[in-house]
Every structure is written in C-alpha cells, then in structure tokens.
Amino acid sequence: MNAGDWREVRLGDVCTYSTAKVSITEINEDNYISTENMLPNKNGVVKSSGLPTVASVTRYFTDNVLVSNIRPYFKKIWCADREGGCSNDVLVFVVKDKRILDSRFLFYCLSNDEFFNYVMAGAKGTKMPRGDKGAILKYPVHLPTLSEQKAIAATLSALDDMIELNNQINKTLEEMAQAIFKSWFVDFEPFKDGEFEESELGLIPKGWRVGKLSDVGEIIGGGTPSKSKPEYYSEIGIPWITPKDLSINKNKYISRGEIDISELGLRESNARLMPKGTVLFSSRAPIGYIAIAKNAVTTNQGFKSVVPFENISSEYIYLLLKNSINKIESRATGSTFKEISGGEMKKVPIILPPKEIIRKFNEIATTLGKTQASLEDENNILMSIRDTLLPKLMSGEIRVPVEDVV
C-alpha cells in the first residue's frame, strides 16, 4: 500500500477559525480556555484559575481543535470534549465538512511536530512569538479517505486512552497519599485518643515536636554554568533541571530536563550533583514546582532542593513541602519576583513526629510512589510510540488497515 491515493489540500480548504462569540456569563472556570491553562507538549488542558473581565469570548464546540497561538514551540493543543469559550490567543479550528475531514484526524494532524515547526517558521515577534493566522491556513495537509482518517485517529486515540487511564490512576494515588499525609500530620486523626500539648504551631500530639525543614533533609541550591562556554554543556551528559522543565513535565518523578551539562560545567559552576530521591523545589518564578529525582541530577539556581536524611523518604519530604507552600511563600522576598533563600528555607517550621511514625508512613507513601513512578514510565513509553507513529501515519508511510476498524 502507498499514499498515492491521498490528496494534498491546504488547511484552510477543509477547516476555518471559529468567529462565534459567547457571553462571559455562560462561561466558567471548567470550560474557559486560555494559553495559561493549556498544558505544553500536547498534554491537554487544566481548570482555569479565573475568567477575563470582558463581555464575550470566542466560542468553541465539542470536537473543535484548540491551539495556543502564543509561543507555538510549547505545542499546546486540545481536542474539545465540551462546549465553552476561549481567549483570543487560542485558535479554534472548525471542520468545514465532516464528510471530508474527521475532527479527530485533524487533531492528530495538528499535533504533528511538523505543524508546530511550520507555525514557528512563520511566527511574528521575538519575545512573545505568535503564529501568522493567514499562513497557518496554508499549511499542507495530506488527506486519505474519511474511513482511513478515522482508522488513523482510532489507532492514535487508543494510545492516548491508555495514557489518560494511567494519568487518572496516578491522580487517584496522589490524592490518597495527600489524604493520608493530611490525616496523620495535619489533622492527627490516628492519634486523637492520645494526649496533646501546646506548641508554637498549635496543639500537637505529646511526644511530637516543632522543628525546621533542615531537620529532615539537606537544603541545596543550584547553579548555571556560563552560557558563553559551550564546553560546559553536553548533548548527553549530567541531567540539569530548570523550573521550566517542571512546568512542562507534569510527572511526579523526573530524570532529566531539556539540557544536560558536562563534567566541566559542573566543576566550574555552583551546580551540585544530588542523589536519586532528592526532592526538587522551585524557589522562585514561581515558588512551588515540586518533583522527585529518579536519578542523580543537578539544577539551576531556581531551586532549593531537599536531600532526605536517613530514614526520611522522598515521598514524605515531597508531601511535607506540598503542605508547607504558604509557610515557604511567607518567607520569600523580592520586588520583581518573590524568592526564598536557602537560609530561610532551612528555617521553615515543621511538626516532627517520632521516627517510628515516619517509618510507618514511609512504607505506605513509598509503595504508592513506586506505583506512580511505574505508571509514569509506562506513559513515557506509550508517548514515545505515539509520537513515533504519528508523523508516519500522517504521511502515509505506515497505513492502517481500514477493515480492522469498527
């Protein structure tokens, strides 16, 4: 089989931008989409943090394809599973004739890295590049028959469905870990029948004490090797993490960022090599991105990472930091952006339970964490398969047997 029977069209031949409007009074935080609540790297959307102060916004419908037009290199795209409204910085692609183009096929067509590269090539602006809406509609699309479009979309959707299922399981596991941590170390539910005593942080179970974050782990900052020294960086070297990496990678566990540094770069900078299990915590712009290192890593200066002491699990530190964000932010300073120093990070007050209670919690949290890490690894494999297949399916290099698709 070959793709000789496919026809090439321009994007604008088969779809258009939505020009419909919807009153802001009909929109809520669950169905309002802006570039801020679209996730990078084709990871969909999350709930909006607020609505704009405007009378109306662009309307979208179920199966419309939404693409962020600001900084196209972030690859923010979503196939709508509901109706709602979006900001002007989000392009809403509407299929002109569903007898010619399948909406899900369009989504995968626009999810192809070739599309984002095309948009970036014609983007205007340097600091905040935007795609040229006219040029985007000239993007070449290779169209098979409608039945083959649906077969291709079904193949890729099957992989996305498995990824989403794993994400939902991990979300549930994370909520379980958070709930157990809160029950034990915030509400003290398992210890209600025991004695309590006053502390500077309120009533705590007798035998517990108030300590500092530095009592459970070593606080370590990061550094950036000179960007003018290319020898300080390496294509495959020492993992070097930035807050941007955590904003793009939503996994709880992380192995590396977009850039690696060399042994020389490590020696000639303030970056420090930290062991597997280090809890990375962004200390500025913004404060509060958190992840656990799957292997030895370094970070830039935007982190105050915590290397757990013996008998303190990474998952305990992770949840402790999650539940201490307000305390940490209250100690941050700065006019342009808030940042917490290493000295202040060390002094963040925490409630310290007896070692035996931490040990019991570690057993539960570590078991949950291993499952989460395993599912994240599985998703990385599934995404790699999907992203390898996608351009081959879209070009016709690999064909899907139409008769196998119901």
Side-chain angles (χ1 to χ4, degrees):
M1 296 178 71
N2 59 63
D5 54 335
W6 291 26
R7 63 191 180 97
E8 182 177 303
V9 299
R10 300 297 177 186
L11 189 57
D13 295 334
V14 290
C15 67
T16 186
Y17 298 123
S18 172
T19 56
K21 294 292 182 180
V22 59
S23 170
I24 197 68
T25 59
E26 297 182 41
I27 301 302
N28 56 52
E29 293 176 352
D30 288 318
N31 65 5
Y32 177 69
I33 306 298
S34 71
T35 189
E36 283 77 21
N37 65 313
M38 298 186 79
L39 299 177
N41 287 339
K42 315 164 193 176
N43 281 314
V45 299
V46 293
K47 186 175 181 177
S48 174
S49 59
L51 301 178
T53 54
V54 294
S56 64
V57 291
T58 301
R59 185 166 201 159
Y60 68 83
F61 293 94
T62 302
D63 289 336
N64 288 168
V65 179
L66 280 62
V67 176
S68 172
N69 200 34
I70 293 182
R71 294 175 175 169
Y73 51 80
F74 278 131
K75 303 174 186 176
K76 297 181 178 183
I77 185 169
W78 178 57
C79 188
D81 59 8
R82 70 203 79 155
E83 296 182 12
C86 63
S87 72
N88 290 333
D89 291 321
V90 176
L91 303 178
V92 179
F93 292 91
V94 182
V95 172
K96 287 182 177 180
D97 187 341
K98 291 188 177 182
R99 295 169 299 180
I100 296 174
L101 177 63
D102 177 70
S103 297
R104 197 72 187 173
F105 179 84
L106 173 65
F107 167 72
Y108 286 114
C109 178
L110 302 186
S111 295
N112 197 343
D113 283 349
E114 287 184 9
F115 172 72
F116 290 105
N117 293 338
Y118 174 90
V119 176
M120 269 307 298
K124 298 176 181 178
T126 52
K127 187 176 181 181
M128 202 83 99
R130 282 177 169 80
D132 183 318
K133 293 174 69 174
I136 289 172
L137 292 180
K138 296 177 182 176
Y139 178 69
V141 176
H142 294 90
L143 268 183
T145 63
L146 187 63
S147 57
E148 189 167 356
Q149 290 177 41
K150 290 182 177 181
I152 291 170
T155 301
L156 295 168
S157 290
L159 292 167
D160 278 337
D161 288 346
M162 287 188 279
I163 292 168
E164 181 56 28
L165 177 60
N166 286 345
N167 285 337
Q168 289 301 318
I169 294 171
N170 263 354
K171 183 175 181 240
T172 301
L173 293 173
E174 183 63 18
E175 288 170 352
M176 287 171 59
Q178 292 275 8
I180 296 168
F181 184 93
K182 184 175 183 295
S183 172
W184 285 32
F185 304 123
V186 178
D187 300 329
F188 312 118
E189 290 291 345
F191 318 105
K192 289 288 190 184
D193 294 337
E195 293 184 61
F196 279 69
E197 54 190 10
E198 285 288 349
S199 77
E200 63 186 87
L201 294 179
L203 282 173
I204 61 174
K206 191 171 183 179
W208 296 34
R209 67 184 178 89
V210 173
K212 303 184 293 292
L213 190 57
S214 58
D215 290 327
V216 294
E218 181 185 3
I219 314 297
I220 296 178
T224 299
S226 172
K227 294 292 182 69
S228 65
K229 303 278 189 179
E231 63 270 25
Y232 288 175
Y233 294 86
S234 174
E235 198 165 309
I236 301 177
I238 301 168
W240 183 69
I241 315 292
T242 71
K244 178 187 171 186
D245 294 320
L246 266 58
S247 74
I248 293 174
N249 181 351
K250 296 299 179 180
N251 287 347
K252 183 173 183 175
Y253 298 85
I254 189 168
S255 57
R256 65 189 340 110
E258 288 187 327
I259 301 171
D260 284 1
I261 61 174
S262 65
E263 292 280 356
L264 181 61
L266 176 63
R267 289 198 303 270
E268 298 298 323
S269 71
N270 290 327
R272 284 182 57 182
L273 188 62
M274 299 174 292
K276 172 184 177 181
T278 297
V279 183
L280 313 180
F281 184 88
S282 67
S283 54
R284 67 180 188 185
I287 293 172
Y289 287 153
I290 312 178
I292 298 174
K294 292 170 64 175
N295 41 254
V297 302
T298 62
T299 71
N300 75 354
Q301 62 273 23
F303 287 91
K304 298 296 179 291
S305 300
V306 184
V307 180
F309 289 148
E310 189 177 1
N311 300 321
I312 302 290
S313 70
S314 303
E315 285 73 20
Y316 174 81
I317 297 288
Y318 177 93
L319 292 164
L320 177 63
L321 290 172
K322 280 266 187 183
N323 284 270
S324 302
I325 295 291
N326 290 339
K327 292 178 190 174
I328 294 170
E329 287 183 332
S330 70
R331 292 173 171 270
T333 58
S335 53
T336 305
F337 52 77
K338 296 289 186 181
E339 178 177 13
I340 183 164
S341 67
E344 285 299 317
M345 189 79 170
K346 292 175 183 177
K347 294 188 287 187
V348 171
I350 61 171
I351 296 171
L352 280 170
K355 290 181 180 178
E356 179 60 19
I357 291 174
I358 293 181
R359 185 191 67 77
K360 290 180 179 178
F361 179 81
N362 286 346
E363 291 177 0
I364 299 170
T366 301
T367 299
L368 293 174
K370 284 180 179 177
T371 304
Q372 288 177 284
S374 176
L375 289 171
E376 287 181 357
D377 287 343
E378 184 178 319
N379 271 0
N380 289 335
I381 294 170
L382 290 170
M383 286 187 283
S384 177
I385 294 170
R386 180 200 62 196
D387 293 344
T388 300
L389 278 177
L390 195 153
K392 297 180 184 297
L393 289 170
M394 288 298 152
S395 67
E397 181 181 341
I398 294 177
R399 303 292 290 271
V400 176
V402 175
E403 59 270 21
D404 290 351
V405 179
V406 179

